[in-house]
Coordinates of all heavy atoms in Angstrom, one line a residue:
M1 N 71.0 -19.1 90.9 CA 72.4 -18.8 90.8 C 73.1 -20.2 90.7 O 72.6 -21.2 91.3 CB 72.9 -18.2 92.0 CG 74.2 -17.8 92.1 SD 74.8 -16.8 93.5 CE 73.4 -16.3 94.5
A2 N 74.1 -20.3 90.0 CA 74.9 -21.5 89.9 C 75.3 -22.0 91.3 O 75.7 -21.1 92.1 CB 76.1 -21.3 88.9
E3 N 75.3 -23.2 91.5 CA 75.6 -23.8 92.8 C 77.0 -24.3 92.8 O 77.4 -25.2 92.2 CB 74.7 -25.0 93.2 CG 74.7 -25.4 94.6 CD 74.1 -24.2 95.5 OE1 73.3 -23.5 95.1 OE2 74.5 -24.2 96.8
I4 N 77.9 -23.6 93.5 CA 79.4 -24.0 93.6 C 79.4 -24.6 95.1 O 79.1 -24.0 96.0 CB 80.3 -22.8 93.5 CG1 80.1 -22.0 92.2 CG2 81.7 -23.2 93.7 CD1 80.5 -22.8 91.0
T5 N 80.1 -25.7 95.0 CA 80.2 -26.4 96.3 C 81.7 -26.7 96.7 O 82.4 -26.9 95.8 CB 79.4 -27.7 96.5 OG1 79.7 -28.6 95.4 CG2 77.8 -27.3 96.3
H6 N 81.9 -27.2 97.9 CA 83.2 -27.8 98.3 C 82.9 -28.9 99.1 O 81.9 -29.0 99.9 CB 84.1 -26.7 98.8 CG 83.6 -26.1 100.1 ND1 83.9 -26.7 101.4 CD2 82.8 -24.9 100.4 CE1 83.2 -25.9 102.3 NE2 82.7 -24.9 101.7
A7 N 83.9 -29.8 99.1 CA 83.7 -31.1 99.8 C 83.8 -30.9 101.4 O 84.5 -30.0 101.9 CB 84.6 -32.2 99.4
G8 N 83.2 -31.7 102.2 CA 83.2 -31.5 103.7 C 84.5 -32.1 104.2 O 84.5 -32.4 105.5
H9 N 85.5 -32.2 103.5 CA 86.9 -32.6 104.0 C 87.0 -33.5 105.2 O 87.3 -33.0 106.3 CB 87.8 -31.4 104.3 CG 87.9 -30.6 103.0 ND1 88.6 -31.1 101.8 CD2 87.6 -29.3 102.7 CE1 88.5 -30.1 100.9 NE2 88.0 -29.1 101.4
G10 N 86.6 -34.9 105.0 CA 86.6 -35.7 106.2 C 85.5 -35.7 107.3 O 85.6 -36.5 108.2
S11 N 84.7 -34.7 107.1 CA 83.6 -34.6 108.3 C 82.5 -35.4 108.0 O 81.6 -35.5 108.8 CB 83.3 -33.1 108.3 OG 82.6 -32.8 107.2
G12 N 82.5 -36.1 106.8 CA 81.3 -37.0 106.5 C 80.0 -36.2 106.1 O 79.1 -36.8 105.8
T13 N 80.3 -34.9 106.0 CA 79.1 -34.0 105.5 C 79.0 -34.0 103.9 O 80.0 -34.2 103.3 CB 79.0 -32.6 106.1 OG1 80.3 -32.0 105.6 CG2 79.1 -32.6 107.6
A14 N 77.9 -33.8 103.4 CA 77.7 -33.7 102.0 C 78.3 -32.3 101.7 O 78.5 -31.6 102.4 CB 76.2 -33.7 101.7
D15 N 78.4 -32.2 100.3 CA 78.8 -30.9 99.8 C 78.0 -29.8 100.2 O 76.7 -29.9 100.3 CB 78.9 -30.9 98.2 CG 80.1 -31.8 97.8 OD1 80.9 -32.3 98.4 OD2 80.2 -32.1 96.5
K16 N 78.6 -28.7 100.6 CA 77.7 -27.5 100.9 C 78.1 -26.3 100.1 O 79.3 -26.2 99.6 CB 78.0 -27.2 102.4 CG 79.3 -26.9 102.9 CD 79.3 -26.6 104.4 CE 80.8 -26.2 104.7 NZ 80.9 -26.0 106.2
P17 N 77.3 -25.3 99.9 CA 77.4 -24.4 99.1 C 78.7 -23.4 99.6 O 78.8 -23.2 100.8 CB 76.2 -23.3 99.1 CG 75.1 -24.4 99.6 CD 75.9 -25.4 100.5
D18 N 79.5 -22.9 98.7 CA 80.6 -22.1 99.0 C 80.0 -20.7 99.3 O 79.5 -20.0 98.4 CB 81.7 -22.1 97.9 CG 82.9 -21.3 98.1 OD1 82.8 -20.4 98.9 OD2 83.9 -21.6 97.4
M19 N 80.2 -20.2 100.6 CA 79.7 -18.8 100.9 C 80.3 -17.8 100.2 O 79.6 -16.8 99.8 CB 79.8 -18.7 102.5 CG 78.9 -19.5 103.3 SD 77.1 -19.3 102.7 CE 76.8 -17.6 103.2
T20 N 81.6 -17.8 99.9 CA 82.2 -16.8 99.1 C 81.5 -16.6 97.7 O 81.2 -15.6 97.2 CB 83.8 -17.0 99.0 OG1 84.3 -17.1 100.3 CG2 84.4 -15.9 98.4
W21 N 81.3 -17.9 97.1 CA 80.6 -17.7 95.8 C 79.3 -17.3 95.9 O 78.9 -16.5 95.0 CB 80.7 -19.2 95.3 CG 79.7 -19.2 94.0 CD1 78.5 -19.9 94.0 CD2 79.8 -18.6 92.9 NE1 77.7 -19.6 92.8 CE2 78.7 -18.6 92.1 CE3 80.9 -17.7 92.4 CZ2 78.4 -18.2 90.7 CZ3 80.6 -17.1 91.1 CH2 79.3 -17.3 90.3
K22 N 78.6 -17.5 96.8 CA 77.2 -17.1 97.1 C 77.2 -15.6 97.0 O 76.4 -14.9 96.4 CB 76.5 -17.5 98.3 CG 76.0 -19.0 98.2 CD 75.1 -19.3 99.4 CE 74.4 -20.4 99.1 NZ 73.1 -20.5 99.8
I23 N 78.2 -15.0 97.8 CA 78.3 -13.5 97.8 C 78.8 -13.0 96.5 O 78.1 -12.0 96.0 CB 79.4 -13.0 98.9 CG1 78.8 -13.5 100.3 CG2 79.8 -11.5 98.9 CD1 79.7 -13.3 101.4
V24 N 79.9 -13.7 95.8 CA 80.3 -13.0 94.5 C 79.1 -13.2 93.5 O 78.8 -12.3 92.6 CB 81.6 -13.8 94.0 CG1 81.8 -13.6 92.6 CG2 82.6 -13.6 95.1
G25 N 78.5 -14.3 93.4 CA 77.4 -14.6 92.5 C 76.2 -13.6 92.8 O 75.7 -13.0 91.7
G26 N 75.9 -13.3 94.0 CA 74.9 -12.2 94.2 C 75.1 -10.9 93.7 O 74.5 -10.2 93.2
L27 N 76.5 -10.6 93.9 CA 77.0 -9.2 93.5 C 77.1 -9.1 91.9 O 76.7 -8.2 91.4 CB 78.4 -8.9 94.0 CG 78.4 -8.6 95.5 CD1 79.8 -8.5 96.0 CD2 77.6 -7.4 96.0
V28 N 77.4 -10.2 91.3 CA 77.2 -10.4 89.9 C 75.9 -10.2 89.4 O 75.8 -9.3 88.5 CB 78.0 -11.7 89.4 CG1 77.7 -11.9 87.7 CG2 79.5 -11.6 89.6
G29 N 75.0 -10.8 90.0 CA 73.7 -10.7 89.5 C 73.0 -9.3 89.8 O 72.2 -8.9 88.8
L30 N 73.4 -8.6 90.9 CA 73.0 -7.3 91.0 C 73.6 -6.3 90.0 O 72.9 -5.6 89.4 CB 73.3 -6.7 92.5 CG 72.6 -7.3 93.6 CD1 73.2 -6.8 95.0 CD2 71.2 -6.7 93.5
G31 N 74.8 -6.5 89.7 CA 75.5 -5.6 88.7 C 74.8 -5.9 87.3 O 74.6 -5.0 86.7
V32 N 74.7 -7.1 86.9 CA 74.1 -7.4 85.6 C 72.7 -6.9 85.5 O 72.3 -6.5 84.6 CB 74.2 -8.9 85.3 CG1 73.4 -9.3 84.1 CG2 75.7 -9.3 85.1
G33 N 71.9 -7.1 86.5 CA 70.6 -6.6 86.6 C 70.5 -5.1 86.3 O 69.7 -4.6 85.5
F34 N 71.3 -4.3 87.1 CA 71.3 -2.9 86.8 C 71.7 -2.5 85.5 O 71.1 -1.7 84.8 CB 72.4 -2.3 87.9 CG 72.5 -0.8 87.8 CD1 71.4 -0.1 88.2 CD2 73.5 -0.3 87.0 CE1 71.6 1.4 88.0 CE2 73.7 1.2 87.0 CZ 72.7 1.9 87.4
A35 N 72.9 -3.2 84.9 CA 73.4 -2.8 83.7 C 72.4 -3.2 82.5 O 72.2 -2.5 81.6 CB 74.7 -3.5 83.5
S36 N 71.8 -4.4 82.7 CA 71.0 -4.9 81.6 C 69.6 -4.0 81.6 O 69.1 -3.8 80.5 CB 70.6 -6.3 81.7 OG 70.0 -6.6 82.9
R37 N 69.2 -3.5 82.7 CA 68.0 -2.6 82.8 C 68.4 -1.3 82.0 O 67.4 -0.9 81.1 CB 67.6 -2.4 84.1 CG 66.3 -1.6 84.2 CD 65.8 -1.5 85.6 NE 64.5 -0.7 85.7 CZ 63.4 -1.3 85.4 NH1 63.2 -2.6 85.2 NH2 62.2 -0.4 85.5
K38 N 69.6 -0.8 82.2 CA 69.9 0.4 81.4 C 70.0 0.1 80.0 O 69.6 1.0 79.3 CB 71.3 0.9 82.0 CG 71.1 1.5 83.5 CD 70.3 2.7 83.5 CE 70.4 3.3 84.9 NZ 69.7 4.4 85.0
V39 N 70.7 -1.0 79.6 CA 70.8 -1.2 78.1 C 69.4 -1.4 77.5 O 69.2 -1.0 76.5 CB 71.7 -2.3 77.9 CG1 71.7 -2.9 76.5 CG2 73.2 -2.0 78.4
L40 N 68.6 -2.3 78.2 CA 67.2 -2.6 77.6 C 66.5 -1.2 77.5 O 65.7 -1.1 76.6 CB 66.5 -3.6 78.3 CG 67.1 -5.1 78.3 CD1 66.7 -6.0 79.2 CD2 67.1 -5.5 76.8
S41 N 66.5 -0.4 78.5 CA 65.8 0.7 78.5 C 66.1 1.7 77.2 O 65.4 2.3 76.6 CB 65.9 1.6 79.8 OG 65.2 0.9 80.8
F42 N 67.5 1.7 77.1 CA 68.0 2.5 76.1 C 67.5 1.8 74.7 O 67.2 2.7 73.7 CB 69.6 2.6 76.1 CG 70.3 3.3 74.9 CD1 70.2 4.6 74.8 CD2 70.8 2.5 73.8 CE1 70.8 5.2 73.8 CE2 71.4 3.1 72.8 CZ 71.4 4.5 72.7
A43 N 67.6 0.5 74.6 CA 67.2 0.0 73.3 C 65.7 0.1 73.1 O 65.4 0.2 72.0 CB 67.5 -1.6 73.4
W44 N 65.0 0.1 74.2 CA 63.4 0.4 73.9 C 63.2 1.7 73.5 O 62.4 2.0 72.6 CB 62.8 0.2 75.3 CG 61.3 0.4 75.3 CD1 60.8 1.7 75.6 CD2 60.3 -0.6 75.0 NE1 59.3 1.5 75.4 CE2 59.0 0.1 75.2 CE3 60.3 -1.8 74.9 CZ2 57.8 -0.5 74.9 CZ3 59.1 -2.5 74.6 CH2 57.9 -1.9 74.7
Q45 N 63.9 2.8 74.0 CA 63.8 4.1 73.5 C 64.1 4.3 72.0 O 63.5 4.9 71.2 CB 64.4 5.0 74.4 CG 64.1 6.4 74.1 CD 64.6 7.4 75.2 OE1 65.1 7.0 76.1 NE2 64.4 8.8 75.0
K46 N 65.3 3.7 71.6 CA 65.8 3.7 70.3 C 64.8 3.0 69.4 O 64.6 3.4 68.3 CB 67.1 3.2 70.1 CG 68.1 4.0 70.7 CD 68.1 5.4 70.0 CE 69.2 6.2 70.6 NZ 69.2 7.6 70.1
T47 N 64.2 1.8 69.7 CA 63.4 1.1 68.9 C 61.9 1.7 68.7 O 61.3 1.7 67.7 CB 63.1 -0.3 69.6 OG1 64.5 -0.8 69.5 CG2 62.4 -1.2 68.5
T48 N 61.3 2.1 69.9 CA 60.0 2.6 69.9 C 59.9 4.1 69.7 O 58.8 4.6 69.3 CB 59.3 2.3 71.1 OG1 59.8 2.9 72.2 CG2 59.3 0.8 71.3
G49 N 61.0 4.8 70.0 CA 60.9 6.3 70.0 C 60.3 6.9 71.2 O 60.1 8.1 71.2
K50 N 59.9 6.0 72.1 CA 59.3 6.4 73.4 C 60.1 6.1 74.6 O 60.9 5.1 74.5 CB 58.0 5.9 73.6 CG 57.0 6.0 72.5 CD 55.7 5.3 72.8 CE 54.7 5.3 71.6 NZ 53.6 4.4 72.0
K51 N 60.0 6.9 75.6 CA 60.8 6.6 76.8 C 60.1 5.2 77.4 O 58.9 5.1 77.2 CB 60.6 7.6 77.9 CG 61.5 8.8 77.7 CD 61.4 9.7 78.8 CE 62.4 10.9 78.6 NZ 62.5 11.8 79.7
P52 N 60.8 4.3 78.0 CA 60.2 3.2 78.7 C 59.2 3.6 79.6 O 59.3 4.6 80.4 CB 61.4 2.5 79.4 CG 62.5 3.0 78.7 CD 62.3 4.4 78.2
P53 N 58.0 2.9 79.8 CA 57.0 3.3 80.8 C 57.6 3.1 82.3 O 58.5 2.3 82.6 CB 55.9 2.1 80.6 CG 56.3 1.3 79.4 CD 57.8 1.7 79.1
A54 N 57.2 4.2 83.0 CA 57.7 4.3 84.5 C 57.1 3.1 85.1 O 57.8 2.6 86.0 CB 57.3 5.5 85.0
S55 N 56.0 2.8 84.8 CA 55.3 1.5 85.4 C 54.4 0.8 84.4 O 53.7 1.5 83.7 CB 54.3 2.0 86.5 OG 53.5 0.9 87.0
A56 N 54.6 -0.4 84.3 CA 53.7 -1.1 83.2 C 52.3 -1.1 83.7 O 51.4 -1.5 83.0 CB 54.3 -2.6 83.1
D57 N 52.0 -0.9 84.9 CA 50.6 -0.8 85.5 C 49.9 0.5 85.0 O 48.6 0.6 85.3 CB 50.7 -0.9 86.9 CG 51.2 -2.1 87.4 OD1 51.1 -3.2 86.6 OD2 51.7 -2.2 88.6
S58 N 50.6 1.5 84.5 CA 50.0 2.7 84.2 C 49.0 2.7 83.2 O 49.2 1.9 82.2 CB 51.2 3.7 83.8 OG 50.7 4.8 83.2
L59 N 47.9 3.3 83.3 CA 46.9 3.4 82.4 C 47.2 4.3 81.2 O 46.4 4.4 80.2 CB 45.5 3.7 83.0 CG 45.0 2.8 84.1 CD1 43.8 3.3 84.6 CD2 44.8 1.4 83.4
D60 N 48.3 5.1 81.3 CA 48.7 5.9 80.1 C 49.3 5.3 79.0 O 49.5 5.8 77.9 CB 49.8 6.9 80.8 CG 49.2 7.8 81.8 OD1 47.9 8.1 81.8 OD2 49.9 8.4 82.6
I61 N 49.6 4.0 79.2 CA 50.1 3.2 78.1 C 49.1 2.1 77.6 O 48.4 1.7 78.5 CB 51.5 2.5 78.3 CG1 51.4 1.6 79.5 CG2 52.5 3.7 78.5 CD1 52.7 0.9 79.7
S62 N 49.2 1.6 76.5 CA 48.2 0.6 76.1 C 48.6 -0.7 76.7 O 49.7 -1.0 77.1 CB 48.4 0.4 74.5 OG 49.4 -0.2 74.1
L63 N 47.6 -1.6 76.7 CA 48.0 -3.0 77.3 C 48.9 -3.8 76.5 O 49.8 -4.3 77.1 CB 46.7 -3.7 77.3 CG 46.6 -5.2 77.9 CD1 47.1 -5.3 79.3 CD2 45.5 -6.0 77.7
G64 N 48.9 -3.6 75.1 CA 50.0 -4.3 74.3 C 51.3 -3.7 74.7 O 52.3 -4.6 74.8
E65 N 51.5 -2.4 74.8 CA 52.8 -1.8 75.0 C 53.3 -2.3 76.4 O 54.5 -2.6 76.6 CB 52.9 -0.4 74.9 CG 54.1 0.3 75.1 CD 54.0 1.9 75.1 OE1 53.0 2.5 74.7 OE2 55.1 2.5 75.2
A66 N 52.3 -2.3 77.3 CA 52.8 -2.7 78.8 C 53.4 -4.1 78.8 O 54.2 -4.5 79.4 CB 51.6 -2.6 79.8
I67 N 52.5 -5.1 78.0 CA 52.9 -6.5 77.9 C 54.2 -6.7 77.2 O 55.2 -7.4 77.7 CB 51.9 -7.3 77.3 CG1 50.6 -7.3 78.1 CG2 52.2 -8.7 76.9 CD1 49.4 -8.0 77.6
A68 N 54.4 -5.8 76.1 CA 55.7 -6.0 75.3 C 56.8 -5.6 76.1 O 57.9 -6.1 76.1 CB 55.5 -5.1 74.1
Y69 N 56.6 -4.4 76.9 CA 57.7 -3.9 77.7 C 58.0 -5.0 78.9 O 59.2 -5.3 79.1 CB 57.2 -2.6 78.4 CG 58.4 -2.0 79.2 CD1 59.6 -1.4 78.7 CD2 58.3 -2.0 80.7 CE1 60.5 -0.8 79.6 CE2 59.2 -1.5 81.5 CZ 60.4 -0.9 80.9 OH 61.4 -0.3 81.7
A70 N 57.2 -5.5 79.4 CA 57.4 -6.5 80.5 C 58.0 -7.7 80.0 O 58.9 -8.2 80.6 CB 55.9 -7.0 81.2
V71 N 57.6 -8.2 78.8 CA 58.4 -9.4 78.1 C 59.8 -9.1 77.8 O 60.7 -9.8 78.1 CB 57.6 -9.8 76.9 CG1 58.3 -10.9 76.1 CG2 56.2 -10.4 77.3
V72 N 60.0 -7.9 77.2 CA 61.2 -7.6 76.8 C 62.3 -7.3 78.1 O 63.4 -8.0 78.1 CB 61.3 -6.2 75.9 CG1 62.8 -5.6 75.8 CG2 60.8 -6.5 74.7
M73 N 61.8 -6.7 79.1 CA 62.5 -6.6 80.2 C 62.8 -7.8 80.9 O 63.9 -8.0 81.4 CB 61.9 -5.5 81.2 CG 61.9 -4.0 80.5 SD 63.6 -3.4 80.2 CE 64.1 -2.9 81.8
G74 N 61.8 -8.5 81.2 CA 62.0 -9.7 82.0 C 62.8 -10.8 81.2 O 63.7 -11.4 81.9
L75 N 62.5 -11.0 79.9 CA 63.3 -11.9 79.2 C 64.8 -11.5 79.1 O 65.8 -12.1 79.3 CB 62.7 -12.1 77.9 CG 63.4 -13.2 76.9 CD1 63.3 -14.6 77.5 CD2 62.7 -13.1 75.6
G76 N 64.9 -10.1 78.7 CA 66.3 -9.6 78.5 C 67.1 -9.6 79.8 O 68.3 -10.1 79.6
M77 N 66.5 -9.3 80.9 CA 67.3 -9.3 82.1 C 67.8 -10.6 82.6 O 68.7 -11.0 83.1 CB 66.5 -8.5 83.3 CG 66.5 -7.0 83.0 SD 65.5 -6.1 84.3 CE 66.7 -6.3 85.6
E78 N 66.7 -11.6 82.4 CA 67.0 -13.0 82.8 C 68.0 -13.7 81.8 O 69.0 -14.3 82.6 CB 65.8 -13.8 82.9 CG 65.9 -15.1 83.4 CD 66.4 -15.2 84.9 OE1 66.3 -14.2 85.6 OE2 66.7 -16.2 85.4
V79 N 68.0 -13.4 80.7 CA 69.0 -14.0 79.8 C 70.4 -13.4 80.1 O 71.5 -14.2 80.2 CB 68.7 -13.7 78.3 CG1 69.9 -14.0 77.4 CG2 67.4 -14.6 77.8
A80 N 70.5 -12.1 80.3 CA 71.8 -11.5 80.7 C 72.3 -12.0 82.1 O 73.6 -12.3 82.2 CB 71.5 -10.0 80.8
R81 N 71.3 -12.2 82.9 CA 71.8 -12.7 84.3 C 72.3 -14.2 84.2 O 73.3 -14.6 84.8 CB 70.6 -12.7 85.3 CG 70.9 -13.1 86.6 CD 69.8 -13.3 87.6 NE 68.9 -14.5 87.2 CZ 69.3 -15.8 87.6 NH1 70.3 -15.8 88.3 NH2 68.6 -16.8 87.2
I82 N 71.6 -15.0 83.4 CA 72.1 -16.4 83.2 C 73.5 -16.4 82.6 O 74.3 -17.2 83.0 CB 71.0 -17.2 82.5 CG1 69.7 -17.5 83.3 CG2 71.5 -18.6 81.9 CD1 68.6 -17.9 82.4
I83 N 73.7 -15.7 81.6 CA 74.9 -15.8 80.9 C 76.0 -15.2 81.8 O 77.0 -15.8 81.9 CB 74.8 -14.9 79.6 CG1 73.9 -15.6 78.6 CG2 76.3 -14.6 79.1 CD1 73.6 -14.7 77.4
A84 N 75.8 -14.3 82.6 CA 76.9 -13.6 83.4 C 77.1 -14.5 84.6 O 78.3 -14.7 84.9 CB 76.4 -12.3 84.0
I85 N 76.1 -15.1 85.2 CA 76.3 -16.0 86.3 C 77.0 -17.3 85.9 O 77.9 -17.7 86.6 CB 75.0 -16.3 87.0 CG1 74.4 -15.1 87.7 CG2 75.2 -17.4 88.1 CD1 75.0 -14.6 88.9
R86 N 76.6 -17.9 84.8 CA 77.4 -19.0 84.2 C 78.8 -18.7 83.9 O 79.7 -19.5 84.2 CB 76.5 -19.6 83.1 CG 75.3 -20.3 83.4 CD 74.5 -20.6 82.2 NE 75.2 -21.8 81.5 CZ 75.0 -23.2 81.7 NH1 74.1 -23.5 82.5 NH2 75.8 -24.0 81.0
A87 N 79.0 -17.7 83.3 CA 80.5 -17.3 83.0 C 81.3 -17.0 84.4 O 82.4 -17.5 84.4 CB 80.4 -16.0 82.1
A88 N 80.6 -16.2 85.1 CA 81.3 -16.0 86.6 C 81.6 -17.5 87.3 O 82.6 -17.6 87.8 CB 80.5 -15.2 87.4
A89 N 80.6 -18.4 87.2 CA 80.7 -19.6 87.9 C 81.9 -20.4 87.3 O 82.6 -21.1 88.0 CB 79.5 -20.4 87.7
K90 N 81.9 -20.4 86.0 CA 83.0 -21.1 85.3 C 84.4 -20.6 85.8 O 85.4 -21.3 86.0 CB 82.9 -21.1 83.8 CG 81.8 -22.0 83.2 CD 81.8 -22.0 81.7 CE 80.7 -22.9 81.3 NZ 80.6 -22.8 79.8
K91 N 84.5 -19.2 85.7 CA 85.7 -18.6 86.1 C 86.1 -18.9 87.6 O 87.2 -19.2 87.9 CB 85.6 -17.0 85.9 CG 87.0 -16.4 86.0 CD 87.9 -16.8 85.0 CE 89.2 -16.0 85.1 NZ 90.3 -16.5 84.2
W92 N 85.0 -18.8 88.4 CA 85.3 -19.0 89.8 C 85.6 -20.5 90.0 O 86.6 -20.7 90.8 CB 84.0 -18.8 90.6 CG 84.1 -19.1 92.1 CD1 83.7 -20.2 92.8 CD2 84.6 -18.2 93.0 NE1 83.9 -20.0 94.0 CE2 84.5 -18.7 94.3 CE3 84.9 -16.8 93.0 CZ2 84.9 -18.2 95.4 CZ3 85.5 -16.2 94.1 CH2 85.3 -16.8 95.4
Q93 N 85.0 -21.4 89.3 CA 85.5 -23.0 89.5 C 86.9 -23.0 89.0 O 87.6 -23.8 89.7 CB 84.5 -23.8 88.6 CG 84.7 -25.1 89.0 CD 84.1 -25.5 90.5 OE1 83.1 -24.9 90.8 NE2 84.7 -26.3 91.1
S94 N 87.3 -22.5 88.0 CA 88.7 -22.5 87.6 C 89.7 -22.1 88.5 O 90.9 -22.5 88.7 CB 89.0 -21.9 86.1 OG 88.9 -20.6 86.2
W95 N 89.4 -20.8 89.2 CA 90.1 -20.2 90.1 C 90.2 -21.2 91.4 O 91.3 -21.4 91.9 CB 89.6 -18.9 90.8 CG 89.9 -17.9 89.7 CD1 90.8 -17.7 88.6 CD2 89.2 -16.5 89.6 NE1 90.8 -16.5 88.0 CE2 89.6 -15.8 88.6 CE3 88.1 -16.1 90.5 CZ2 89.3 -14.5 88.3 CZ3 87.6 -14.8 90.1 CH2 88.2 -14.0 89.1
K96 N 89.2 -21.8 91.8 CA 89.1 -22.8 92.9 C 90.0 -24.0 92.5 O 90.7 -24.4 93.5 CB 87.8 -23.1 93.3 CG 86.9 -22.1 93.7 CD 87.3 -21.6 95.2 CE 86.9 -22.4 96.3 NZ 87.2 -22.2 97.5
T97 N 89.8 -24.5 91.4 CA 90.6 -25.7 90.9 C 92.1 -25.4 90.9 O 92.9 -26.2 91.5 CB 90.0 -26.2 89.6 OG1 88.7 -26.4 89.7 CG2 90.8 -27.4 89.2
E98 N 92.4 -24.2 90.4 CA 93.8 -23.8 90.4 C 94.4 -23.7 91.7 O 95.5 -24.2 92.0 CB 93.9 -22.5 89.6 CG 95.2 -22.1 89.2 CD 95.3 -20.8 88.4 OE1 94.7 -20.9 87.3 OE2 95.8 -19.8 88.8
A99 N 93.6 -23.1 92.7 CA 94.1 -22.8 94.0 C 94.3 -24.1 94.8 O 95.2 -24.4 95.5 CB 93.1 -21.9 94.8
D100 N 93.3 -25.0 94.5 CA 93.4 -26.4 95.2 C 94.6 -27.2 94.8 O 95.2 -27.9 95.6 CB 92.0 -27.2 94.9 CG 90.9 -26.5 95.7 OD1 91.2 -25.9 96.7 OD2 89.7 -27.0 95.4
T101 N 94.9 -27.1 93.4 CA 96.1 -27.9 92.9 C 97.3 -27.3 93.5 O 98.4 -28.0 93.6 CB 96.0 -27.9 91.3 OG1 96.1 -26.6 90.9 CG2 94.9 -28.5 90.9
K102 N 97.4 -25.9 93.8 CA 98.6 -25.4 94.3 C 98.8 -25.8 95.8 O 100.0 -25.7 96.2 CB 98.6 -23.9 94.3 CG 98.6 -23.4 92.8 CD 98.7 -21.9 92.7 CE 98.9 -21.5 91.3 NZ 98.9 -19.9 91.3
L103 N 97.8 -26.3 96.5 CA 98.0 -26.6 97.9 C 98.4 -28.0 98.0 O 99.0 -28.7 98.1 CB 96.5 -26.6 98.6 CG 96.0 -25.1 98.9 CD1 94.6 -25.3 99.4 CD2 96.9 -24.2 99.6

């Protein structure tokens, strides 16, 4: 998760993570994970004509299909998470900067 910090305002402490951002970033990550899994499962079914495997460990599917499914899901979900977290972090940082300049 992108690390958003705020200064220790005269306490002599180093920057520490903004707890509100940690909560917001975590929620963004959960939402994106859920949504990207649904989208990727739909794309898998449209592309292969088969439902996504319930488990990549199942012996009912070939090793190649299990590996392909794991790669598509892992890569797709991680790329979606990175894009969403970075976009949210930029927006959060602009809100914080805007709020700090108003004070």
Side-chain angles (χ1 to χ4, degrees):
M1 185 176 354
E3 194 70 25
I4 305 288
T5 59
H6 60 87
H9 299 300
S11 63
T13 60
D15 288 350
K16 61 181 182 177
D18 185 335
M19 284 304 292
T20 307
W21 165 248
K22 283 189 164 207
I23 293 168
V24 169
L27 292 173
V28 167
L30 284 172
V32 168
F34 177 78
S36 62
R37 183 170 181 88
K38 292 290 185 183
V39 168
L40 290 168
S41 292
F42 178 78
W44 179 270
Q45 189 166 359
K46 288 296 180 188
T47 303
T48 65
K50 302 177 192 176
K51 285 187 174 183
S55 171
D57 298 335
S58 174
L59 296 177
D60 295 335
I61 60 173
S62 70
L63 179 60
E65 186 177 358
I67 291 172
Y69 180 72
V71 168
V72 167
M73 291 304 280
L75 184 63
M77 289 179 70
E78 188 62 16
V79 167
R81 188 190 69 80
I82 289 169
I83 291 169
I85 293 292
R86 289 176 64 96
K90 283 182 182 180
K91 188 64 174 175
W92 181 264
Q93 196 66 42
S94 72
W95 285 338
K96 293 291 281 182
T97 303
E98 192 176 298
D100 288 346
T101 58
K102 288 183 180 179
L103 295 178

